[in-house]
């Protein structure tokens, strides 16, 4: 399943939602963010009126999912390690898009 098609999922006992909010992401100058307090991953599908490629949206989803997983596991310090989060997110995205 593509990240852009996911509407909700559960980590531990917490139900997470996935929402597209171009205004919120424009304010943050980002394509995605994970809100731990809202248990929501926010994504953008447009930036400055330009469509964001679906593969990039999917990749950003898996990046934000990795943040969410570390938070659910109680690894707050790992949530801040962008290099690690990006590496794992990229591999999750690659796995998801290449499995048969």
């Amino acid at each position: 399943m593509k990240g852009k098609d996911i509407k909700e999922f559960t980590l531990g006992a917490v139900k997470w939602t996935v929402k597209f909010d171009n205004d919120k992401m424009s304010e943050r100058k980002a394509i995605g963010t994970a809100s731990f307090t809202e248990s929501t991953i926010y994504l953008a599908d447009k930036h400055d009126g330009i469509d964001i490629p679906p593969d990039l949206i999917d990749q950003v989803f898996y990046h934000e999912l990795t943040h969410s997983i570390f938070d659910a596991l109680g690894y707050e310090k790992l949530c801040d390690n962008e290099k690690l989060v990006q590496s794992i997110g990229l591999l999750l995205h690659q796995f998801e898009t290449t499995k048969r």
Side-chain angles (χ1 to χ4, degrees):
M1 176 176 278
K2 297 277 192 176
K4 65 181 173 60
D5 298 328
I6 298 170
K7 306 295 182 227
E8 62 184 36
F9 59 91
T10 302
L11 294 176
V14 178
K15 185 196 289 187
W16 282 73
T17 57
V18 180
K19 297 180 181 177
F20 282 84
D21 189 331
N22 293 328
D23 293 333
K24 181 184 283 267
M25 293 299 88
S26 181
E27 289 171 9
R28 292 178 179 238
K29 298 182 181 359
I31 298 173
T33 190
S35 172
F36 305 133
T37 57
E38 298 175 63
S39 302
T40 301
I41 291 177
Y42 291 98
L43 299 168
D45 58 5
K46 291 187 184 294
H47 179 72
D48 289 336
I50 300 171
D51 289 341
I52 297 170
D55 284 344
L56 179 55
I57 296 169
D58 289 345
Q59 183 179 324
V60 171
F61 169 78
Y62 285 101
H63 175 98
E64 300 306 332
L65 175 62
T66 303
H67 279 297
S68 305
I69 290 169
F70 283 148
D71 180 69
L73 293 171
Y75 294 128
E76 292 84 14
K77 289 184 180 180
L78 292 180
C79 286
D80 296 331
N81 186 331
E82 285 296 325
K83 185 175 182 179
L84 178 63
V85 168
Q86 180 67 6
S87 297
I88 293 173
L90 283 171
L91 289 177
L92 285 172
H93 179 253
Q94 183 181 27
F95 164 78
E96 185 62 28
T97 58
T98 61
K99 69 182 181 185
R100 294 179 196 227

